[in-house]
Amino acid sequence: MPENTVVVGIDGSDSALQAARWAAAVATACGAPLHIVHAMPSFGRNLTETAAAIQAAIMSYQRDSALIFLRAARDAVRQDRPDLTVTTEASETPVDEALIEASRTARLIVLGGKDVTGAAAVLLGSTTLRVATRAECPVVAFRGDRVAVADKPIVVGVDGSDAGVGVLATAFEFARSLQVKLVAVRSWTTRAPVGDVTVPFLIDWDALEAAEWSALTDLVDEWRQRYPEVDVECVVETMSPGRALLRHAADAQLVVVGSRGRNALTGLVLGSTSMNLLHHSPVPVMVTRAAAD
């Protein structure tokens, strides 16, 4: 697989097929080839005999159907984009391991979207969560039903952390490739934990909001100088980050958020904002690593 390839993982579902078509549109916009991967499902260990039997049946079905799934995805992509370079791969490796390995040289990993629940994050995880928290390139959880690049903006959440800087860099890069507007969203809230504020009516809320605006625009201006062709809008919202990003996602084609790194609990790694978006976003969600990575 050439470097900077857009990679999409499929499992034969309709959602994965749509993800492949969307990934092809992004690959075309980025001038990159597309690599479609089908790998074995990932299961937990220490399974009961019944669960192990179900696992074996599922894996047998997936193995027997792999070439059919790959051919269907390839044909759908080529029907949309006959000039795009498309390769396929059937792997016996668990899907999360296969995609994490591919991320070492890929430009982007795309996954067909299934809901990510809190139980999945805390107990077993899911393919989306495992890949998003360990991949070495940005990972997109496909959401919605749009399979082509539109003229709608990309929304990015900015919080000033190292992960936030990496998110902003990635968002600018893809906004330039897709030739769309970028909306940088920073949120803050007038709520404070009990005990933090003893005389709340003495707080200069206007000054705090001005400080949030200054922090956002200063950070965005650094990247605007590197990507002068990208039209950027800065937005400061007085609400939680998750609510703020979901509010703007309704009019966007992609939301970009950050991962904090690696941790045993994927929910803690991604944070509540990213988990909320993976569960509720109506459009694809891109998770990217910290700038240092």
Side-chain angles (χ1 to χ4, degrees), residues 90-129:
S91 174
E92 290 289 315
T93 306
V95 61
D96 54 339
E97 295 179 17
L99 294 176
I100 290 166
E101 177 64 26
S103 74
R104 296 181 179 180
T105 57
R107 178 165 187 168
L108 181 69
I109 300 289
V110 181
L111 289 163
K114 294 181 180 178
D115 287 344
V116 176
T117 66
V122 176
L123 299 177
L124 299 177
S126 69
T127 298
T128 300
L129 294 176

Side-chain angles (χ1 to χ4, degrees), residues 96 100 103 111 121 125-139 258-271 274-275 278 287-290 293:
D96 54 339
I100 290 166
S103 74
L111 289 163
S126 69
T127 298
T128 300
L129 294 176
R130 287 191 293 269
V131 176
T133 53
R134 296 177 58 197
E136 297 183 20
C137 70
V139 175
S259 165
R260 297 172 181 171
R262 301 185 183 187
N263 190 289
L265 294 177
T266 52
L268 295 179
V269 173
L270 287 175
S274 299
M275 283 294 298
L278 287 173
V287 179
T288 189
R289 298 279 294 281
D293 291 347

